[in-house]
Amino acid sequence: MNSIKYSFASKYTLIATALILLLRWNDEVNIHKKLRNVNDIKSYAEVLMQEGNSLGI
C-alpha cells in the first residue's frame, strides 16, 4: 500500500483499503487456491491494525 499513495488518501483510508483488499483477496483467490490459512489472514489483518494504531488511527 505504501507504494500506492495518493495525495487525497489519508492514513485511515490506506489502512481500510488494505484490509478490504486482504478480505477480497481471501474471498476471491485464497479460498479456491488455499495459499494461506485462516490464521495467516488474521495475522496480516492484525499487523495492518497495529500499523493503524501506530499511526494514530
Side-chain angles (χ1 to χ4, degrees):
M1 286 304 303
N2 285 337
S3 64
I4 309 174
K5 286 188 177 180
Y6 296 98
S7 60
F8 62 86
S10 69
K11 296 173 192 175
Y12 174 81
T13 303
L14 291 174
I15 299 297
T17 301
L19 286 167
I20 290 167
L21 289 173
L22 177 63
L23 290 172
R24 194 159 175 201
W25 174 82
N26 186 55
D27 291 345
E28 295 179 15
V29 176
N30 191 45
I31 285 177
H32 303 290
K33 297 191 180 223
K34 296 179 177 34
L35 300 171
R36 297 285 182 248
N37 64 38
V38 173
N39 291 328
D40 289 341
I41 303 301
K42 287 180 183 179
S43 293
Y44 297 145
E46 288 173 358
V47 168
L48 288 168
M49 295 303 292
Q50 288 171 358
E51 182 70 22
N53 287 337
S54 71
L55 294 172
I57 297 174

